[in-house]
Amino acid sequence: MGLLDNIRQAFLPTQFEVKQAPKVYISGGSMFSGSKKNGFKDYATEGYQENAIVFRCINEIANGAASIPFKVFQGDVELEQHPLISLLKRPNPTQAGIEYFQSLYSYLLLSGNSYALSSAVSGVPNELYILRPDRIEIEPSETAIPKSYKYKLNNQVVAKYDADPFTGQSEVKHFKLWNPLDDYLGLSPMMAAASDLDQHNMIAKHNVGLLLNGAR
């Protein structure tokens, strides 16, 4: 290419290649069910509420992770005051920073998914909330980026948060654990331990029954 060609090329409209996430879903197919919850309520009741080992494990991990302080830097200088620091210390009127991150990590360990909602003013986040995973329904697209996140109460959609089809940016940030069999939902660690958990609970109930019946 000669010099004139280079100059001409500089004045031609620049063409950008638009890249998309890989296709994972075909409209009308059955590869994904937005109603799938991965047994969250069972994990929350039979696991967290009724099993002391699960309760202790989740609390130890979530509380330990939530206690790690965040630091904000501008270049190499650590900032003592910044809107982000204030936001992380008090994400919303009902939760301090540690409480917020405890719930984020606990939901992640229970369901494999945790959803953070950002409330913004003029594009700047001023409050952060955690949404219960069993109330979220992911609306699939043809790619790995979902169309939207639907927040449901009593099987009714009360809020819908769209996701950018190219960047995935949304008011909802989806944290998830890797799942080899689902393009959208994370895999709950409780699923891998479900058989052992059932055995432990049944043995405990059996032993209690023996004691109540005088070991007969």
Side-chain angles (χ1 to χ4, degrees):
M1 180 180 290
L3 177 61
L4 292 178
D5 292 326
N6 288 334
I7 296 174
R8 188 183 303 111
Q9 190 68 27
F11 286 93
L12 291 176
T14 303
Q15 295 184 353
F16 295 96
E17 181 183 0
V18 178
K19 297 183 178 180
Q20 289 184 317
K23 288 186 179 295
V24 298
Y25 175 81
I26 300 175
S27 298
S30 59
M31 296 175 62
F32 173 79
S33 172
S35 62
K36 184 178 180 182
K37 294 296 186 297
N38 282 341
F40 172 76
K41 290 185 178 179
D42 290 336
Y43 299 152
T45 54
E46 297 177 18
Y48 188 77
Q49 292 182 346
E50 298 179 4
N51 190 289
I53 297 175
V54 173
F55 179 88
R56 177 69 181 273
C57 288
I58 289 178
N59 281 349
E60 286 292 319
I61 296 172
N63 294 347
S67 66
I68 298 174
F70 288 91
K71 295 184 178 181
V72 177
F73 288 83
Q74 186 171 10
D76 295 329
V77 179
E78 182 180 350
L79 302 180
E80 297 295 333
Q81 293 184 339
H82 191 275
L84 181 57
I85 297 176
S86 301
L87 179 63
L88 294 177
K89 284 185 176 179
R90 190 72 177 182
N92 60 68
T94 63
Q95 288 181 311
I98 290 181
E99 294 174 295
Y100 174 86
F101 285 103
Q102 282 173 342
S103 58
L104 188 153
Y105 298 134
S106 295
Y107 279 136
L108 188 64
L109 292 168
L110 272 174
S111 73
N113 302 275
S114 200
Y115 301 89
L117 173 65
S118 171
S119 175
V121 175
S122 300
V124 179
N126 67 331
E127 289 183 352
L128 300 173
Y129 294 90
I130 297 296
L131 304 177
R132 269 178 47 173
D134 59 320
R135 292 176 176 170
I136 294 293
E137 180 179 306
I138 297 177
E139 182 182 6
S141 68
E142 293 184 349
T143 72
I145 298 175
K147 285 184 180 180
S148 68
Y149 300 91
K150 297 178 180 179
Y151 185 70
K152 303 178 72 175
L153 292 175
N154 299 321
N155 293 321
Q156 299 293 323
V157 177
V158 296
K160 181 179 178 181
Y161 307 99
D162 294 327
D164 186 281
F166 298 106
T167 65
Q169 186 172 352
S170 172
E171 293 174 83
V172 171
K173 171 60 180 175
H174 182 192
F175 299 90
K176 61 181 179 179
L177 301 180
W178 183 66
N179 189 340
L181 298 177
D182 200 301
D183 295 306
Y184 295 107
L185 293 176
L187 177 67
S188 169
M190 302 283 287
M191 180 176 288
S195 296
D196 295 322
L197 175 61
D198 287 341
Q199 290 182 47
H200 190 273
N201 284 348
M202 286 189 289
I203 291 171
K205 291 177 181 178
H206 174 73
N207 290 340
V208 170
L210 284 177
L211 293 173
L212 291 175
N213 291 313
R216 292 193 298 272

